[in-house]
Amino acid sequence: MKVLQVIDTLKVGGAEHITVLLSNLLYERKVDAAVLILVEKGELCGLLNTKIPVFFLERKRRFDKKKLKEVSQLIDEYDLVHIHLKHNFRYVSLASRYFSKQNHKLIFHDHSHYFGVSKLSARSVKDKLFQSVFKPDYFIGVSQSNCIWARERLRLPEGKIFLLENTIAKQNVDEKQAIKRGIVIVSNISRVKNIDYAIRLAKHLNERLTIFGKIRDEDYFNELEELVSQLDYGEHVKFVHDCNNIQPELYNYKYAIHTSHQETGPLVLIEYLAQGLPFLAFATGQVFKTIKSELPQCFISKFNLESWSLKVKELDKLSSTSLEQVYSDYFSSNNYINRCLSIYQKVINS
């Protein structure tokens, strides 16, 4: 089985982390796997196994005929082409349709969300193209909501829709006898992540807060800095923008929070579980749906500072062992690669 993973860049992000991890897991299982990066490398390239072939297209324009032909020639060499994110699927399917004489088995891996998408927005118009022009033959969703979209909007048959919940590779971390202090939140800085609420909560709890994340919305980041100043809490709030590997940092903190209004995953909750770090998160996303009965104390369904404060104080009752066991039972990378290979076999046999 020859498999090509496709993504536009390997900058820091959830889909990008999954692409790297899945490629490495495939290599470990002795699958003939390679990676095609359509636009630019990104920081996560360095995490790929050096023995995995990586192709860099370096396209500048979407409709560069020469580049589209290069893609079509490359995908001709693979049994399965596993494409991450919608814009990349549109591009590769275009190359396949107009510049290749072969029928390719293209798998669309959807990492996106559907909340807050206006019916008249450019995003909505592009999504409609998946009902006709770019309708995929095979669909992988990271959440039940992704799969519902594929079934109800794209009207794909059940046998062509697969749920593959996200995973992370657990790292063995030397805790160096650290004194655990304060709260951590790991989240790229954008408005939907609701980081201003996390800052207010830290102030309410009188705890230090460290925020790990790339700036995705400069205006929102400026608002956060202004909020910290207004609360006179600058000595207790720290932003870290250059950390690409969070697990070795988590042992420094007493607990984590995740205040995002909406999520498809998120991956970071799985990292907290893997390292046995107690966390409190707003009840949204596939991780919540999967483990809410196992760890109800880790989720809350409303934004109220007093309610969050009370639940945070109860996190001390959670043992690291119980959290790590939930990771092993539901989110281990071994379970993930087994499910993925099962999907591949079904696609090949279809």
Side-chain angles (χ1 to χ4, degrees), residues 41-310:
K41 292 183 179 181
E43 307 94 311
L44 299 183
C45 275
L47 300 181
L48 282 169
N49 188 305
T50 55
K51 295 182 180 179
I52 296 174
V54 182
F55 304 98
F56 300 102
L57 187 68
E58 297 182 323
R59 71 167 176 84
K60 305 298 182 184
R61 304 186 310 276
R62 291 183 183 179
F63 301 108
D64 183 326
K65 187 180 292 187
K66 181 181 177 182
K67 295 294 185 182
L68 286 165
K69 285 183 177 179
E70 286 181 32
V71 171
S72 71
Q73 290 168 0
L74 180 61
I75 62 178
D76 282 346
E77 301 175 18
Y78 290 86
D79 303 311
L80 297 175
V81 183
H82 186 151
I83 308 158
H84 300 265
L85 301 171
K86 289 180 177 176
H87 52 285
N88 299 320
F89 183 80
R90 291 195 300 265
Y91 185 79
V92 175
S93 60
L94 187 68
S96 174
R97 180 175 303 177
Y98 292 106
F99 297 98
S100 179
K101 297 179 181 179
Q102 296 187 28
N103 291 322
H104 301 107
K105 292 204 169 181
L106 307 181
I107 303 172
F108 169 38
H109 195 148
D110 189 7
H111 300 261
S112 62
H113 60 75
Y114 302 99
F115 40 83
V117 178
S118 170
K119 291 183 178 180
L120 300 178
S121 66
R123 161 74 184 274
S124 178
V125 172
K126 290 177 181 178
D127 281 0
K128 280 188 175 297
L129 292 175
F130 281 82
Q131 297 172 348
S132 54
V133 180
F134 297 112
K135 188 171 183 176
D137 290 322
Y138 307 97
F139 180 96
I140 292 176
V142 300
S143 69
Q144 290 287 0
S145 63
N146 292 137
C147 295
I148 290 170
W149 181 78
R151 183 167 56 251
E152 296 183 354
R153 296 291 181 88
L154 306 188
R155 302 200 178 279
L156 294 178
E158 286 291 342
K160 301 295 182 71
I161 301 171
F162 307 97
L163 174 64
L164 186 60
E165 296 174 79
N166 285 335
T167 188
I168 57 98
K170 180 178 180 178
Q171 298 177 29
N172 294 320
V173 175
D174 179 8
E175 298 193 7
K176 306 174 185 176
Q177 299 180 340
I179 299 174
K180 296 179 180 293
R181 301 176 63 186
I183 308 170
V184 64
I185 182 169
V186 182
S187 173
N188 285 332
I189 296 173
S190 61
R191 202 168 297 277
V192 72
K193 301 299 184 179
N194 200 21
I195 297 169
D196 53 300
Y197 184 82
I199 293 170
R200 295 181 193 279
L201 178 63
K203 171 77 172 182
H204 188 76
L205 291 165
N206 194 30
E207 288 277 11
R208 295 173 181 266
L209 175 65
T210 303
I211 303 159
F212 288 89
K214 307 289 184 183
I215 301 174
R216 299 291 186 233
D217 183 332
E218 195 76 43
D219 290 339
Y220 183 57
F221 177 63
N222 292 336
E223 290 175 24
L224 295 178
E225 288 193 310
E226 180 62 27
L227 175 62
V228 171
S229 177
Q230 290 174 1
L231 295 175
D232 193 24
Y233 213 57
E235 293 184 4
H236 303 284
V237 177
K238 180 182 179 182
F239 289 93
V240 181
H241 304 304
D242 58 355
C243 180
N244 297 326
N245 184 15
I246 193 60
Q247 286 188 59
E249 304 295 329
L250 296 179
Y251 68 84
N252 290 304
Y253 303 96
K254 291 193 293 186
Y255 39 77
I257 56 175
H258 197 75
T259 52
S260 180
H261 291 294
Q262 297 278 5
E263 289 284 1
T264 52
L267 278 177
V268 70
L269 297 189
I270 305 175
E271 295 193 278
Y272 298 154
L273 289 169
Q275 294 300 325
L277 178 64
F279 67 86
L280 181 62
F282 184 62
T284 183
Q286 189 61 38
V287 175
F288 161 66
K289 292 176 182 177
T290 300
I291 65 170
K292 60 184 177 183
S293 60
E294 296 277 351
L295 294 171
Q297 59 272 60
C298 288
F299 299 96
I300 187 168
S301 58
K302 59 183 177 181
F303 286 104
N304 174 277
L305 287 176
E306 196 57 44
S307 299
W308 276 70
S309 179
L310 290 172

